Amino acid sequence: MNPLCSRCNRVVYPTEKVNCLDKYWHKGCFSCEVCKMTLNMKNYKGFDKRPYCNAHYPKTSFTSVADTPENLRLKQQSKMQSQVLYKEEFEKNKGKGFSVVADTPELQRIKKTQDQISNIKYHEEFEKSRMGGEAPTHHPPQQQNTDPAYQPPAASQNYRFEPEPVRQAAAAPPPSSGKRYRAVYDYSAADEDEVSFLDGDVIVDVQPIDEGWMYGRVERTGQQGMLPANYVEAI
C-alpha cells in the first residue's frame, strides 16, 4: 500500500515519492515551511522533522542559567576546592627549583683561564687593526690615443625617433538586457548549475524557468546559473 504525503495527506506513488525526515512527500510538497520554496535532497535543512531552506532555518539560542542559591553554593564550593588543590601542589613542589652551584676552586680556576684567553684575543685583534691595513691601490691614468689617423666614431646624425602607435582602449561591454532583480538573502549554490550571491547583489538577464526557480547572471561576479525566485525581488 502506498503511503500518504506528510504535507497534503494524499497518496504518494513511487514515481513522485521523496523519502526524507522519516516521512514521505510528493516532490512538489517537499518545500520550506516558511516560504514554500520547493526543496531537494541537496539544499534542504531539517528541524523538528520539518524541511526548511537555508534562509529560514530556525536559529537555536542558548538559555542563561539563573544564579539561584544552590548554584551560588556550588560555585563557592568549587572555588574553595580549587584553592585547596593549588596550595597542595605548591607545597609539594616547594624546594624543587634550581639549586645554586657552589663556587669551588676548580670552577674559579676555569673562569680565570677563560678571562685570560679572552683578554689575549682582544689585544691581538687590537694590534692587528692598529698596525695592519692594506695600502690604497693606485691605478695608472689612461693614456689617450694621439695617433693623427685615429678619429673617434661620429654620432649618427640621421637618427629618427618614431613614436609607438597609441593603443586604443578596449570597448566597454554592451549593457545587460532583460529583467533586473536584487537579492534579499544570501544564497550558496547547492548544485553545479546554480549560482551563489550575497544580499544586495544585482541579478541581470533574468529568465523564469518554473515555479520557484529562474535563470540569471550576478552582475558583481559575472557568474550565471539557476537561483531561487523567493531570494530576489524585482528592481
Side-chain angles (χ1 to χ4, degrees):
M1 181 177 179
N2 294 321
L4 298 180
C5 177
S6 298
R7 180 78 67 187
C8 62
N9 292 327
R10 295 181 181 178
V11 178
V12 181
Y13 295 100
T15 55
E16 56 180 359
K17 181 173 65 175
V18 176
N19 185 4
C20 186
L21 300 174
D22 298 334
K23 297 179 181 179
Y24 297 96
W25 316 75
H26 292 103
K27 291 183 178 179
C29 294
F30 188 62
S31 59
C32 177
E33 290 288 332
V34 179
C35 63
K36 306 303 180 184
M37 184 186 75
T38 304
L39 303 174
N40 53 42
M41 300 300 292
K42 294 182 179 180
N43 62 358
Y44 87 96
K45 286 190 174 183
F47 182 82
D48 198 14
K49 293 188 177 181
R50 295 177 181 272
Y52 292 90
C53 65
N54 188 29
H56 298 107
Y57 181 74
K59 301 296 189 298
T60 57
S61 59
F62 297 98
T63 57
S64 59
V65 180
D67 286 336
T68 60
E70 182 64 18
N71 290 334
L72 293 174
R73 185 184 64 81
L74 293 175
K75 182 179 179 181
Q76 186 68 19
Q77 185 178 356
S78 299
K79 186 176 180 180
M80 292 173 61
Q81 291 178 356
S82 300
Q83 292 178 356
V84 171
L85 292 176
Y86 171 76
K87 290 181 180 179
E88 289 180 357
E89 293 294 331
F90 177 76
E91 292 296 333
K92 288 180 181 179
N93 296 325
K94 191 175 181 180
K96 294 183 179 180
F98 297 99
S99 59
V100 181
V101 179
D103 204 4
T104 61
E106 181 66 21
L107 291 177
Q108 291 180 357
R109 185 185 62 81
I110 294 174
K111 183 178 179 182
K112 188 175 181 181
T113 305
Q114 291 177 350
D115 292 340
Q116 291 178 355
I117 294 173
S118 300
N119 290 331
I120 292 172
K121 288 185 177 180
Y122 170 76
H123 287 291
E124 289 180 356
E125 295 294 334
F126 178 75
E127 293 295 333
K128 287 181 180 179
S129 61
R130 189 180 67 175
M131 302 298 295
E134 296 180 359
T137 57
H138 297 280
H139 298 282
Q142 296 182 358
Q143 296 181 358
Q144 297 182 355
N145 195 341
T146 57
D147 189 0
Y150 173 77
Q151 294 181 358
S156 177
Q157 299 179 358
N158 296 328
Y159 177 76
R160 292 183 180 180
F161 175 75
E162 296 182 359
E164 297 183 356
V166 179
R167 298 181 180 178
Q168 297 181 356
S176 58
S177 60
K179 298 181 179 180
R180 296 168 61 89
Y181 286 76
R182 179 182 291 106
V184 294
Y185 303 107
D186 295 346
Y187 182 75
S188 298
D191 208 344
E192 295 180 355
D193 57 351
E194 298 180 6
V195 65
S196 301
F197 52 84
L198 300 176
D199 183 9
D201 283 349
V202 178
I203 315 299
V204 298
D205 301 336
V206 178
Q207 301 176 2
I209 299 177
D210 56 7
E211 182 179 0
W213 290 91
M214 56 179 55
Y215 187 88
R217 176 170 58 87
V218 181
E219 192 175 40
R220 178 176 58 85
T221 62
Q223 299 179 354
Q224 56 187 0
M226 296 177 59
L227 59 142
N230 61 336
Y231 276 58
V232 297
E233 63 180 4
I235 300 176

